[in-house]
Amino acid sequence: DNGRFPIDVLDDNAVTIWENDGELWDPENYDRKFKGEMTLREAFKQSRNLIAIKLAQEIGPGLIKKYARHMGITTRISAVPTIGIGTSAVHLLDLVAAYCVFPNKGVYVEPVVTAGLKDWEGNKILERAAGRKREVLRPATAIVMTDMMRSVIDERGGTGHRIRSGYRFEPAAAGKTGTTNDYADAWFIGFTPHIVAGVWVGMDDQSLALWPKQAGSVAALPLWVRFMKEVYSEVDYYRERADETFDYPEELVVRLAVCNDTHAIATRYCPDQAEDLFIKNEPLPRDCVLHSSARSHNGRRQRF
């Protein structure tokens, strides 16, 4: 939404940050390793903290806070560099409602506890209006973000890939894992084209940690996928729609070939290509200059 692309590259390396209290902070990744340069899609898929922090610094914590507010987060949010890895406490209901914005193509729906009640004969005895709706994110941006979260589940190396490889959940799905410091909280928020669900596993007493290394992918994700598998096997409405996929309207987004060597828009000479998703009718990343018409596949000048 602010000029970055899934194929943009940032460096997963050490960074030192001055905190508001004047202290220096050296953030780490979950595995305490650095993996070097990688695309934003790959970094998001692998939950690389350092790239998230760098991107948050670039965009600005204040702007990120505004997005969170617009998308339904009601708790106190601190506009600090650590906002990029989610250091403000939030409610599970707020997160689930916020994630609904992505499959809803940018529309936030206010949560309601009960839509209505019927007696045993089917007569309505209480009916409430559905939650109020408002657009909080550009539809095309929501679609690209949905596809980024699809990578978390569908692609090898994603923190949510066990949903496919281990639990064999087949309907289209997207989501994001989360783990707080000292394993005090484990999260997984995920969605299909039809339903959003969230799981939090943790302690009310934040001084108590979960069992060792109980990350979101270990403690929360299994509960989510077991719930979803039952929904899509036992509830007629969902079982009948299990083959439906996420929508990628041609008037909003476009898939283009990208060069895996340069992470730029591919030319027909690029030997190793993939595809990625872009917002239609907006500026695109640069074209690949390594594999231009004047060069061979190994990068040397080629005669014609």
Side-chain angles (χ1 to χ4, degrees):
D1 210 32
N2 294 277
R4 278 293 195 174
F5 303 96
I7 63 172
D8 283 347
V9 173
L10 290 181
D11 200 354
D12 179 24
N13 60 10
V15 62
T16 299
I17 295 173
W18 285 99
E19 297 191 274
N20 290 344
D21 59 5
E23 295 292 321
L24 284 175
W25 176 52
D26 297 312
E28 295 180 327
N29 287 311
Y30 166 77
D31 57 7
R32 296 186 177 180
K33 297 178 181 178
F34 304 128
K35 293 190 175 183
E37 292 186 343
M38 62 176 65
T39 65
L40 291 182
R41 181 182 290 273
E42 190 67 26
F44 185 80
K45 183 177 80 176
Q46 296 186 33
S47 266
R48 307 308 292 173
N49 286 344
L50 294 171
I51 289 182
I53 290 167
K54 290 178 180 181
L55 188 62
Q57 287 182 297
E58 175 187 314
I59 293 172
L63 181 57
I64 295 172
K65 177 179 178 177
K66 288 181 180 179
Y67 275 98
R69 282 278 179 258
H70 288 322
M71 293 174 67
I73 305 300
T74 60
T75 48
R76 182 178 179 272
I77 303 170
S78 299
V80 295
T82 54
I83 195 172
I85 53 174
T87 49
S88 295
V90 294
H91 297 307
L92 179 58
L93 180 61
D94 281 1
L95 270 187
V96 171
Y99 270 67
C100 284
V101 170
F102 301 117
N104 278 344
K105 295 185 178 65
V107 176
Y108 172 80
V109 182
E110 183 181 36
V112 295
V113 177
T114 300
L117 292 175
K118 296 180 181 180
D119 63 21
W120 66 279
E121 294 180 329
N123 301 311
K124 291 182 180 179
I125 57 178
L126 173 65
E127 186 171 9
R128 294 182 57 182
R132 291 174 293 182
K133 300 179 180 181
R134 64 179 186 272
E135 185 174 300
V136 298
L137 197 63
R138 287 194 303 163
T141 300
I143 293 167
V144 173
M145 285 305 305
T146 294
D147 195 63
M148 295 273 280
M149 283 185 271
R150 178 199 57 76
S151 292
V152 172
I153 292 175
D154 284 350
E155 297 177 10
R156 185 171 296 182
T159 56
H161 188 56
R162 286 177 60 212
I163 289 171
R164 302 290 192 220
S165 63
Y167 292 94
R168 305 297 178 186
F169 182 66
E170 296 181 356
K176 188 71 185 70
T177 54
T179 310
T180 59
N181 291 349
D182 301 320
Y183 303 98
D185 304 274
W187 297 86
F188 188 79
I189 316 293
F191 54 88
T192 68
H194 318 105
I195 184 172
V196 181
V199 176
W200 167 70
V201 179
M203 305 289 187
D204 290 333
D205 183 350
Q206 289 288 297
S207 67
L208 302 175
L210 301 176
W211 294 285
K213 295 193 175 181
Q214 293 293 293
S217 60
V218 177
L221 181 149
L223 301 177
W224 182 92
V225 72
R226 288 170 187 165
F227 165 74
M228 283 294 195
K229 290 185 77 169
E230 185 166 348
V231 165
Y232 276 89
S233 66
E234 301 298 328
V235 182
D236 290 343
Y237 176 88
Y238 297 106
R239 185 170 60 246
E240 293 166 0
R241 292 164 174 78
D243 293 333
E244 295 179 1
T245 60
F246 293 115
D247 187 24
Y248 296 90
E250 293 182 357
E251 68 274 14
L252 295 177
V253 292
V254 59
R255 288 198 180 275
L256 297 174
V258 298
C259 177
N260 285 333
D261 294 324
T262 61
H263 304 296
I265 300 298
T267 71
R268 62 192 179 97
Y269 298 98
C270 295
D272 185 10
Q273 298 185 20
E275 283 189 343
D276 216 313
L277 195 65
F278 302 90
I279 297 176
K280 196 168 185 179
N281 299 323
E282 292 209 351
L284 292 172
R286 72 189 191 285
D287 290 342
C288 177
V289 296
L290 178 62
H291 307 109
S292 66
S293 59
R295 294 179 178 270
S296 66
H297 292 344
N298 62 12
R300 295 177 180 174
R301 257 257 181 230
Q302 179 176 324
R303 293 182 181 177
F304 293 91

